[in-house]
């Protein structure tokens, strides 16, 4: 579809999109099914993506990144996810949940040490908010960090940490003042090589199987106060601010999955024959393809719009929560709608591991769950719109 005037792709944007597309189709697409099957973490391609600048697209060059804008990020992520959502998950956590948060709230020293390593692909970053008893209700966490002179001693168990088993550094949210509830949460940058850190249960997942997800456990883990991100008690707002950026990434991931599922369906509908005609000539299939395409293009506009709002926010400091939540809600439900239809259009073949269509269907589901479920996005949108709680 042509550009609509709502956004403009510069030559630089076209170049990053093409570079991501080439890498995704040549290097990732051929290995995606194998890594999905084995559940192995694709370290080699992730490192190469780091060398090419995909792990810190919006990170300024002085901190080891590509120094591009928010639109460049979503364009590249969409292309990677069109080939494999697992690679996209790892890329989005490194870019949005790790680098973005430290760039926004970190000290110079934190940016030089941690952002540089992750943006250049030399290290893997993660973000840890969720706990076994605290998911959507992110303020209800029980893990603690107790001040001990110039250090903090951290104890507790976090869950559903993307890249948890392989991360070098993790942006962690934990309670420094449990009595203050949400207001007692503080953010830290944790190094996983220090004593007292261990990886807990690995999650056997339905989709994005090559992205490693696990619990992480802190047992008398001692961290210097220089590793605190922001001030004590600021953690909840930091977590939410970072998730605004993260949700645009997940929306782009959903768009990439939806596009892959749609393109496979369009091609199949033009080849497969039944009852003496191409199945795409049946209204039942052609109308479905039309609905898939329409939702994809609507999702694209919402995502690019949210990316532009994020870019403006770098200058104005204005929140773009509403744009991010709308984009994530619509794009993730589009990915589910489109990949569900894609399986149906392909019939038995859509249910077979011989084609990637069943993987698109399994991968799409997570986009309606992580970084805030669709229900949480509806809650955020309606609260912002009505002012009611
Ligand atoms: N930006 C900045 N500040 C924000 C904010 C945002 N987007 N959202 C809320 N805040 C601020 C509020 O302004 C408020 O500040 P004041 O106290 O000064 O007024 C404070 O934070 C508390 O906000 P709320 O009262 O709205 O908090 P709440 O508890 O009622 O609801 C919620 C918040 C929207 C439900 C939130 O808890 C939420 O988004 N939950 C979902 C969590 C989530 O997405 N988890 C996924 C984890 S990451 C993951 O998936 C794993 C992975 O590795 C990929």
């Amino acid at each position: 579809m042509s550009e609509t005037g709502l956004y403009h792709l510069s030559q630089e944007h076209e170049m990053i999109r093409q570079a991501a597309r080439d890498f995704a189709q040549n290097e990732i697409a051929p290995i995606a099914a194998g890594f999905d099957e084995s559940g192995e973490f694709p370290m080699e391609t992730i490192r190469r993506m780091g060398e090419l600048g995909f792990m810190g697209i919006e990170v300024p060059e002085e901190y080891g990144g590509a120094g591009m804008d928010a639109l460049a990020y979503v364009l590249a992520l969409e292309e990677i996810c069109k080939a494999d959502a697992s690679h996209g998950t790892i890329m989005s956590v490194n870019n949005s949940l790790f680098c973005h948060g430290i760039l926004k709230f970190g000290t110079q020293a934190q940016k030089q040490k941690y952002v540089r390593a992750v943006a250049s692909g030399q290290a893997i970053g993660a973000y840890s908010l969720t706990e076994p008893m605290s998911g959507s209700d992110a303020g209800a966490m029980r893990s603690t960090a107790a001040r001990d002179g110039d250090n903090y001693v951290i104890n507790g168990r976090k869950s559903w940490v993307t890249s948890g088993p392989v991360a070098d550094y993790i942006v962690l949210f934990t309670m420094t003042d449990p009595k203050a509830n949400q207001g007692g949460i503080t953010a830290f940058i944790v190094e996983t090589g220090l004593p007292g850190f261990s990886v807990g249960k690995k999650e056997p997942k339905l989709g994005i199987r090559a992205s490693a997800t696990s619990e992480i456990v802190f047992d008398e883990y001692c961290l210097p106060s220089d590793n605190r991100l922001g001030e004590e008690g600021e953690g909840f707002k930091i977590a939410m601010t970072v998730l605004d950026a993260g949700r645009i990434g997940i929306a782009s991931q959903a768009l990439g999955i939806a596009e892959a599922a749609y393109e496979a369906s369009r091609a199949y509908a033009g080849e497969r024959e039944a009852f003496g005609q191409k199945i795409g000539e049946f209204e039942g299939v052609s109308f479905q393809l039309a609905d898939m395409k329409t939702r994809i293009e609507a999702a694209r506009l919402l995502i690019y719009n949210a990316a532009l709002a994020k870019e403006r926010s770098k200058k104005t400091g204005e929140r773009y929560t509403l744009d991010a939540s709308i984009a994530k809600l619509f794009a993730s439900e589009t990915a589910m709608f489109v990949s569900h239809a894609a399986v149906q259009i392909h019939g038995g073949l859509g249910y077979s591991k011989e084609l990637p269509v069943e993987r698109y269907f399994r991968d799409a589901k997570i986009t309606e769950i992580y970084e805030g479920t669709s229900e949480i996005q509806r809650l955020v949108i309606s609260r912002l719109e009505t002012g009611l709680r």
Side-chain angles (χ1 to χ4, degrees), residues 93 97 127 129-130 135-136 138 160-162 182 236-237 240-241 243-244 247 319 321 370-372 376 379-380 383 389:
V93 170
L97 296 191
Y127 170 100
L129 179 67
T130 303
S136 291
W160 289 101
V161 184
T162 302
Q182 244 170 39
F236 189 78
K237 285 186 194 171
M240 292 300 121
T241 305
L243 278 174
D244 285 344
R247 287 167 183 169
R319 272 173 59 176
T321 309
Y370 65 5
E371 301 202 24
I376 287 295
L379 179 140
V380 168
R383 278 183 180 180
R389 294 185 55 91

Side-chain angles (χ1 to χ4, degrees), residues 27-47:
E27 309 290 330
I28 299 178
I31 61 169
F35 278 89
D36 172 64
E37 187 70 28
S38 70
E40 194 190 328
F41 188 86
M43 190 62 90
E44 202 186 311
T45 33
I46 292 299
R47 292 263 189 255

Side-chain angles (χ1 to χ4, degrees), residues 49 81 92 112 126 136 141 145 149 153 197 199 232 249 266 273-274 296 299 317 324 344 382:
M49 285 168 69
C81 293
S92 90
Q112 279 299 350
S136 291
M141 62 181 62
V153 178
F197 175 89
V199 173
E232 279 195 13
R266 187 183 56 193
E273 293 188 1
I296 284 171
Q344 195 65 21
S382 64

Side-chain angles (χ1 to χ4, degrees), residues 43-365:
M43 190 62 90
E44 202 186 311
T45 33
I46 292 299
R47 292 263 189 255
R48 295 230 306 286
M49 285 168 69
E51 285 158 18
L52 291 170
F54 294 135
M55 292 302 165
I57 290 180
E58 291 174 72
V59 172
E61 288 173 37
E62 58 182 304
Y63 301 122
M68 300 184 83
D69 65 7
L71 189 52
Y73 171 52
V74 298
L75 290 168
L77 186 54
E78 179 188 328
E79 291 299 330
I80 299 296
C81 293
K82 207 168 156 181
D84 181 33
S86 289
H87 279 80
T89 296
I90 302 158
M91 174 176 164
S92 90
V93 170
N94 276 354
N95 277 273
S96 317
L97 296 191
F98 189 86
C99 292
H100 179 77
I102 301 178
L103 277 178
K104 198 163 170 67
F105 297 102
T107 62
Q108 279 302 326
Q110 290 171 343
K111 291 177 200 176
Q112 279 299 350
K113 180 167 182 190
Y114 299 111
V115 172
R116 176 173 287 286
V118 170
S120 61
Q122 287 154 16
I124 304 289
Y127 170 100
S128 176
L129 179 67
T130 303
E131 296 190 359
M133 295 306 292
S134 152
S136 291
D137 186 3
M141 62 181 62
R142 293 178 183 173
S143 66
T144 55
R147 187 95 197 207
D148 180 14
D150 277 348
N151 297 319
Y152 286 89
V153 178
I154 302 177
N155 281 290
R157 182 177 292 267
K158 308 290 287 185
S159 51
W160 289 101
V161 184
T162 302
S163 299
V166 292
D168 300 282
Y169 308 125
I170 303 176
V171 172
L172 171 77
F173 300 90
T174 187
M175 282 282 182
T176 43
D177 182 3
K179 286 193 291 300
N181 300 319
Q182 244 170 39
I185 296 174
T186 301
F188 295 91
I189 307 168
V190 159
E191 299 197 9
T192 61
L194 297 177
F197 175 89
S198 61
V199 173
K201 177 176 72 108
K202 268 186 86 176
E203 298 297 343
K205 303 192 299 286
L206 172 73
I208 55 162
R209 288 175 38 76
S211 75
T213 309
S214 72
E215 291 191 332
I216 55 174
V217 183
F218 296 89
D219 182 11
E220 298 294 307
Y221 175 94
C222 188
L223 192 67
S225 55
D226 285 350
N227 280 46
R228 194 183 63 224
L229 184 62
E231 297 300 323
E232 279 195 13
E234 281 184 355
F236 189 78
K237 285 186 194 171
I238 293 177
M240 292 300 121
T241 305
V242 171
L243 278 174
D244 285 344
R247 287 167 183 169
I248 300 176
I250 301 310
S252 321
Q253 175 178 50
L255 177 61
I257 299 168
E259 283 180 303
Y262 168 70
E263 287 175 17
S265 305
R266 187 183 56 193
Y268 190 68
E271 287 162 13
R272 172 76 177 183
E273 293 188 1
F275 305 102
Q277 62 183 47
K278 306 263 191 265
I279 62 166
E281 289 172 307
F282 288 107
E283 189 175 290
V285 173
S286 65
F287 278 21
Q288 216 167 6
L289 287 171
D291 287 344
M292 291 155 86
K293 175 69 175 167
T294 303
R295 291 192 195 200
I296 284 171
E297 294 307 331
R300 184 192 312 288
L301 290 179
L302 290 173
I303 293 166
Y304 294 0
N305 175 61
L308 295 180
K310 180 185 175 195
E311 194 57 35
R312 280 196 302 276
S313 156
K314 290 177 189 167
K315 293 197 185 84
T316 64
E318 246 178 76
R319 272 173 59 176
Y320 50 90
T321 309
L322 184 65
D323 303 285
S325 282
I326 289 175
K328 183 189 185 273
L329 174 63
F330 190 80
S332 59
E333 295 194 346
T334 294
M336 209 55 229
F337 173 84
V338 172
S339 60
H340 180 263
V343 172
Q344 195 65 21
I345 288 171
H346 283 79
L349 258 187
Y351 201 66
S352 164
K353 283 191 182 288
E354 275 182 38
L355 291 186
V357 176
E358 61 83 34
R359 173 162 56 87
Y360 303 147
F361 178 62
R362 286 185 288 108
D363 287 348
K365 186 61 204 170

